[in-house]
Amino acid sequence: MKEAVAGELAAAYHSALVDEVRAAGYRHEKGRLTLHLAREFGFCYGVDRAVDYAYQAVARFPGRNVFLTGEIIHNPHVNDRLRAAGIRFLSDSGERGRSLGPDDVVILPAFGITVEEMIDFSACGCTLVDTTCGSVLNVWKNVVRYAQDGFTAVIHGKVKHEETRATASQALKFPQGRYIVVLDRDEAAVVCDYIRHGGDRAAFLARFAGAVSPGFDPDVDLTHVGCANQTTMLMSESLEIGEMFRGAMRDRYGEAELARRFRAFDTICSATQERQDAVIALLDEQPLDLMVVVGGYNSSNTCNLARICAERVRTYHIADPSCLVSRDEVRHRPVGAPSTTSGPEAVTRGWLPASGPVVVGLTAGASTPNNIVGEVIRKLDAFAASPELP
């Protein structure tokens, strides 16, 4: 079945121009534009597999209703193409609350679904096509192990993100399973302070309302902790948060107790790490005038690529090529805005130098297909073709 949809996938998402840029050492020159493409970018294996499975599902079950639980990945271009292929989204307004049965096919997204949702879909008797990424499954295994052994899972992630919700639900497979979700270093510091010194239990629970397991008691549930993370978070931050918790447990209970009370496993997605490493290498190696990061505004891994770049160079996170409005105007997502909330795009004028050589760096999130990257390169070519503004 994979071969049956290979042509359709290539037509939808392939870019000959991107292949040319790769072959030229990830460097592209035209007119006054020099473009450097990060050496790891765009579709990762897990995303590629999920999209492939979705197209195969349509081909494999002709005449049957095929549904997605929600966005298969965080890229509007890809999700719209899946709708055009006949896949219906249970998250769309016209499909919410729909009753499902044995004749229906339901595709589970790359970031997985909660344990409760899986039970509900299984009870319906519908055919399930599971595209959950292997890196996510690896995190789940560790969280389940924590729960089995009486450790609270400390999850570095975004509490509203589908993957983090699914991961947290894994802790509840066992009666003693507990979890707490921390967004960043600041929230981690609050929890670590409570581990070290205790504090106002009610205030703590109010601070983390919605981010802890039912019945969470910080005085009991923070005595044994294990770290995990949403796979698309900023790698350096996840590692730092793990060390923060290690230090807090050591300070509270002593070095001799650390192995009995603290655990940490490497649950950072290799593809996420590779894309972050590649963009850091690009920034280290090439003097750039600006950086363009392409990907969905609700894509956590794309937002983190933009955060890395913005610390070093002027950076524009765009959703798709249409955001490059003209040589003078670009629409973009403000760097640092939460990916789990929607907000207005920023509009910047004078973003591209009006004359003279211009050096642009380019990368794309793990849910961005090559055809989108190729269209961005073509637009940059056109805008840099002459010095005159429109």
Side-chain angles (χ1 to χ4, degrees):
M1 194 59 68
K2 184 178 179 66
E3 294 74 17
V5 301
E8 186 177 6
L9 287 168
Y13 303 117
H14 178 256
S15 170
L17 177 56
V18 169
D19 289 346
E20 291 172 11
V21 175
R22 274 199 179 109
Y26 294 83
R27 180 185 178 98
H28 173 76
E29 293 184 86
K30 188 168 184 179
R32 63 191 184 94
L33 172 70
T34 300
L35 182 138
H36 296 284
L37 183 61
R39 289 182 175 269
E40 294 289 344
F41 67 93
F43 268 13
C44 63
Y45 170 76
V47 166
D48 189 58
R49 170 179 169 274
V51 174
D52 184 16
Y53 277 20
Y55 279 86
Q56 287 190 51
V58 174
R60 186 180 182 86
F61 302 105
R64 293 173 66 177
N65 291 326
V66 179
F67 298 96
L68 260 164
T69 61
E71 294 186 344
I72 192 166
I73 56 174
H74 287 154
N75 185 279
H77 170 79
V78 173
N79 287 307
D80 286 346
R81 277 193 175 272
L82 292 176
R83 289 185 178 93
I87 298 175
R88 295 153 65 178
F89 284 51
L90 293 171
S91 57
D92 287 349
S93 58
E95 303 289 354
R96 290 175 191 156
R98 172 177 289 278
S99 296
L100 300 173
D103 291 335
D104 296 315
V105 178
V106 176
I107 304 169
L108 312 184
F111 16 72
I113 62 173
T114 67
V115 173
E116 295 80 6
E117 289 171 324
M118 179 65 84
I119 292 170
D120 289 343
F121 285 126
S122 298
C124 294
C126 53
T127 300
L128 297 179
V129 178
D130 191 354
T131 78
T132 306
C133 176
S135 294
V136 175
L137 293 173
N138 181 50
V139 179
W140 290 2
K141 285 192 299 184
N142 286 307
V143 168
V144 168
R145 193 173 296 121
Y146 293 156
Q148 284 177 312
D149 296 343
F151 281 66
T152 292
V154 176
I155 303 168
H156 175 214
K158 300 172 181 178
V159 72
K160 295 182 180 179
H161 193 284
E162 299 97 323
E163 181 190 326
T164 291
R165 294 202 307 269
T167 297
S169 75
Q170 295 291 318
L172 304 182
K173 284 183 171 180
F174 296 88
Q176 67 271 33
R178 299 288 186 272
Y179 69 80
I180 182 169
V181 179
V182 295
L183 175 64
D184 51 25
R185 297 177 186 89
D186 290 342
E187 289 196 352
V190 172
V191 183
C192 288
D193 185 68
Y194 200 98
I195 289 172
R196 288 186 173 97
H197 309 295
D200 185 329
R201 179 176 177 277
F204 182 94
L205 292 173
R207 169 72 183 265
F208 290 96
V212 294
S213 50
F216 191 88
D217 183 347
D219 296 319
V220 175
D221 297 328
L222 293 177
T223 59
H224 297 79
V225 300
C227 292
N229 65 287
Q230 181 182 315
T231 59
T232 54
M233 299 300 280
L234 193 61
M235 175 192 65
S236 58
E237 189 172 33
S238 289
L239 293 174
E240 184 177 339
I241 286 171
E243 288 306 307
M244 289 171 68
F245 277 91
R246 185 191 301 274
M249 297 300 283
R250 182 189 297 113
D251 291 347
R252 176 66 184 270
Y253 299 105
E255 186 72 37
E257 280 285 295
L258 192 59
R260 196 172 72 84
R261 293 181 179 270
F262 174 79
R263 293 183 185 176
F265 292 90
D266 181 5
T267 56
I268 296 167
C269 167
S270 60
T272 297
Q273 183 172 337
E274 287 164 1
R275 279 148 187 76
Q276 292 176 6
D277 289 346
V279 85
I280 290 169
L282 174 57
L283 294 165
D284 286 343
E285 294 166 6
Q286 303 294 342
L288 304 173
D289 294 312
L290 60 98
M291 190 81 194
V292 176
V293 180
V294 192
Y297 290 159
N298 61 341
S299 165
S300 179
N301 77 87
T302 308
C303 291
N304 283 323
L305 288 173
R307 284 176 61 191
I308 292 170
C309 296
E311 292 177 355
R312 306 272 295 275
V313 69
R314 184 160 49 94
T315 297
Y316 301 102
H317 174 182
I318 63 172
D320 56 53
S322 69
C323 293
L324 303 178
V325 180
S326 69
R327 297 183 187 93
D328 181 54
E329 181 181 334
V330 59
R331 293 184 287 105
H332 58 99
R333 178 188 183 277
V335 174
S339 66
T340 50
T341 60
S342 59
E345 288 179 311
V347 176
T348 297
R349 295 192 176 277
W351 69 284
L352 192 68
S355 61
V358 57
V359 183
V360 177
L362 177 63
T363 191
S367 51
T368 305
N370 278 2
N371 67 308
I372 294 295
V373 177
E375 290 174 28
V376 168
I377 295 172
R378 292 190 190 283
K379 273 212 163 184
L380 290 169
D381 277 346
F383 290 166
S386 64
E388 295 81 16
L389 295 177

